[in-house]
Amino acid sequence: MRRRSTSRSCLRARLVVALLGALTVAGCTTGPSVRPAVVDNDGGVTTPAAPSAAPVPLPPLTEPQGASLRWTDCDGDTRARLGSPGVPTSLHFTCARMTTQLDAPDDTQHLLARILVLKAGNGPIPLVVVNDVGGEPGSVFAARLAAQLPPAFLQKFSLIGVDRRGTGLSGGVQCVPPEARDALLGADPAQGGLGDVLDAARRAGQQCAIDLDTAQTALDSWRTAGDLDQLRQDLGLPRLNALGRGDGSKVLSEYAVRFPAQVGRMVLDGLPDPGEDRAAVLDAVAAGAESTFDAFSTDCASRGCPLGDAKTALKQVTDRLRAAPVTTPDGVTMSPGTASYAVYLGLADRTRWPALADALNAAKTGDVTALESFADPVLTDAEGRTSRIGGTIATRCNDSATRLPADQIDKVAQGMRTKYPQFGAAIAQELAWCGPWPVRREPLPAAGAPGAPPILVAATASDPVTPEVGTTRAADQMPSAVTITWQGSGHGALTQSPCVTTAAQSFLIDGKIPTNGTLCPA
């Protein structure tokens, strides 16, 4: 069942817990917190190092010196958070908490955020892992990644998963009212404007402004990059070695801008398009989603699955739900829009394509239980888990300066609905999410990080989240970027493409830089 936001008295209780340095999330209810746990601090602001004009070689790997994090066993809790599929019992997990400056623009109290980090494996060199803001929390992602990477990774590295600020157990944002969540994902793929989505976005924006207060504008990729430099220091490292996927890659690219002299060996898997025209960026995302859906349909046919033509099946499901929406036991209203968004979310993880095909096939006859499970982590709160929609909206809106009037949003949505009949409306509705959100007032330095060493950027030909065209455009802005492209489908190439995985292993462990523009077969 869904959990409503905790009260301000609960938040005050969490501030005390943060001051005491507790390693678990405290709560006045069984639901997670609604804003980052914070404490008072008088620390100053780190000044970015000046970039060097000379090319920087790939730095050597060095073991930590003077690490200050206190790790405690979190194996059982992590396995509970992983759910199914689990990971081998040979893997062991420990967790720690670090404090970092909240650094909100209007913060006069010098507050600190409390960030959860998880360590998987016992390799001597820490490799920080940052995931998409809308995906699994970084701690869970790192735990799962540890079971998927070749053994050589964990012989050299211990994976350090970060629940980035506003997600997971780092004060997961829970300010979006439960009754507004379905509508935020509810744009009908076949008809109508985005009036209901805009109304839900206004309700969400108003509640988040109240609940998050000064923390509202502190949930962004730029400040998350600052968290990573604090983590680097707490790990006792002169340079940060890291792996990012999707939005997590964006954080690492901004880390390279802020702290070029502290960049170690980094792999950016699916770097988002840095373009300022959000409508154009989302147009490319929708094109990537349609292309990935085609690949999903081909994959289904090659396995002889009973779904049939995937586009026909999706239309059957949305037509059925348009006539008779279904409310699930979790309280999610499965409308045509929600069902389309659930399928879109399922396309990201290629390993779950068989399950997605089965779920879509079952939904043709009215059983939407399995299909709803793909949207459930985004929409619903559960014991020890915050819905992802709050952290996603907060971060993406703080990262974007695009705010369009309602009539223009409807025009963009209609155009994308026509061009991309399966997912155009689902992707375009993200423009409505940010309408009531404050626009960033602080100018950021230009992208590029000319003082950074070589950074490996992996792209995927058909990616529904970070399409190849956007990843390539982002890499083109980075003088030290070395690109490798998997000609396959899904979100992220690492572990899905043996070619990319081998290249990343050679880059991170052996310091071998692949040829820029390398293509990996599907």
Side-chain angles (χ1 to χ4, degrees):
M1 296 295 292
R2 295 188 183 183
R3 314 267 183 201
R4 292 192 176 271
S5 300
T6 51
S7 66
R8 287 185 175 273
S9 62
C10 297
L11 294 177
R12 285 193 293 270
R14 287 191 180 89
L15 301 185
V16 175
V17 172
L19 280 165
L20 295 176
L23 294 181
T24 57
V25 173
C28 299
T29 75
T30 54
S33 67
V34 300
R35 60 182 291 181
V38 293
V39 294
D40 290 327
N41 174 57
D42 290 322
V45 177
T46 301
T47 301
S52 170
V56 178
L58 193 67
L61 296 174
T62 57
E63 295 191 17
Q65 299 290 331
S68 59
L69 290 174
R70 298 177 59 185
W71 298 98
T72 62
D73 181 271
C74 62
D75 203 77
D77 289 342
T78 300
R79 292 181 186 279
R81 295 176 70 204
L82 281 166
S84 179
V87 296
T89 56
S90 57
L91 281 173
H92 181 65
F93 308 111
T94 55
C95 292
R97 288 274 182 180
M98 57 169 276
T99 56
T100 182
Q101 295 178 37
L102 187 66
D103 192 26
D106 299 320
D107 173 31
T108 58
Q109 302 178 55
H110 305 293
L111 301 175
L112 292 180
R114 297 278 289 164
I115 306 297
L116 177 100
V117 293
L118 172 143
K119 180 163 69 173
N122 297 307
I125 298 174
L127 179 70
V128 171
V129 176
V130 192
N131 197 22
D132 288 282
V133 68
E136 289 185 314
S139 58
V140 176
F141 177 61
R144 210 178 298 283
L145 193 61
Q148 298 170 341
L149 290 170
F153 271 88
L154 297 189
Q155 293 169 6
K156 175 63 71 172
F157 297 111
S158 52
L159 302 188
I160 310 295
V162 182
D163 281 8
R164 53 193 293 177
R165 54 171 64 192
T167 73
L169 298 183
S170 295
V173 175
Q174 198 184 3
C175 60
V176 178
E179 62 274 10
R181 297 175 189 176
D182 299 335
L184 287 168
L185 305 185
D188 194 306
Q191 61 189 33
L194 296 184
D196 290 343
V197 181
L198 286 162
D199 287 343
R202 292 186 190 101
R203 296 199 301 274
Q206 291 167 358
Q207 192 60 52
C208 289
I210 294 170
D211 287 356
L212 296 175
D213 197 21
T214 56
Q216 183 181 14
T217 51
L219 303 170
D220 63 7
S221 296
W222 182 258
R223 289 175 175 80
T224 299
D227 297 342
L228 296 189
D229 198 60
Q230 182 61 56
L231 176 59
R232 175 192 64 79
Q233 297 173 55
D234 291 350
L235 289 169
L237 294 171
R239 291 176 178 266
L240 183 75
N241 306 301
L243 188 160
R245 186 176 73 167
D247 289 335
S249 294
K250 175 180 172 62
V251 173
L252 296 183
S253 70
E254 297 200 358
Y255 182 93
V257 173
R258 289 189 68 174
F259 310 102
Q262 281 70 51
V263 173
R265 299 182 182 181
M266 289 187 174
V267 173
L268 281 54
D269 189 11
L271 183 59
D273 192 326
E276 295 183 3
D277 184 346
R278 187 65 180 160
V281 169
L282 291 177
D283 188 278
V285 171
E290 300 275 322
S291 175
T292 307
F293 194 54
D294 288 341
F296 161 77
S297 184
T298 300
D299 176 78
C300 186
S302 70
R303 292 184 292 103
C305 73
L307 177 64
D309 180 72
K311 292 181 179 178
T312 300
L314 180 56
K315 186 176 187 305
Q316 289 174 335
V317 171
T318 55
D319 286 349
R320 185 186 187 101
L321 292 173
R322 189 174 294 111
V326 176
T327 300
T328 70
D330 285 335
V332 174
T333 299
M334 291 295 285
S335 65
T338 312
S340 297
Y341 206 86
V343 174
Y344 168 66
L345 293 169
L347 292 175
D349 186 354
R350 191 183 178 100
T351 65
R352 296 191 69 191
W353 281 10
L356 177 62
D358 290 343
L360 193 54
N361 192 51
K364 290 195 300 184
T365 59
D367 182 2
V368 297
T369 304
L371 186 58
E372 186 265 345
S373 70
F374 286 89
D376 184 74
V378 176
L379 292 173
T380 64
D381 305 312
E383 190 74 32
R385 186 197 76 191
T386 307
S387 61
R388 298 173 190 167
I389 194 167
T392 300
I393 289 177
T395 302
R396 290 185 182 171
C397 293
N398 284 332
D399 280 353
S400 171
T402 301
R403 303 291 187 270
L404 300 179
D407 60 340
Q408 192 170 347
I409 292 175
D410 275 341
K411 183 178 179 180
V412 171
Q414 183 55 48
M416 289 177 62
R417 185 183 280 112
T418 302
K419 289 171 64 177
Y420 313 111
Q422 277 73 50
F423 304 107
I427 306 302
Q429 66 189 346
E430 291 194 19
L431 289 170
W433 295 354
C434 298
W437 208 266
V439 178
R440 184 185 203 100
R441 302 193 306 269
E442 316 147 276
L444 294 181
I455 296 173
L456 182 59
V457 177
T460 299
S462 295
D463 190 316
V465 182
T466 49
E468 178 190 2
V469 63
T471 298
T472 301
R473 185 178 294 117
D476 286 345
Q477 294 186 4
M478 303 172 64
S480 65
V482 178
T483 61
I484 182 169
T485 301
W486 175 42
Q487 296 173 298
S489 304
H491 180 41
L494 190 67
T495 73
Q496 295 301 310
S497 164
C499 169
V500 171
T501 303
T502 299
Q505 177 178 320
S506 297
F507 178 81
L508 290 169
I509 296 176
D510 304 319
K512 295 180 179 178
I513 302 171
T515 301
N516 188 38
T518 296
L519 297 179
C520 287

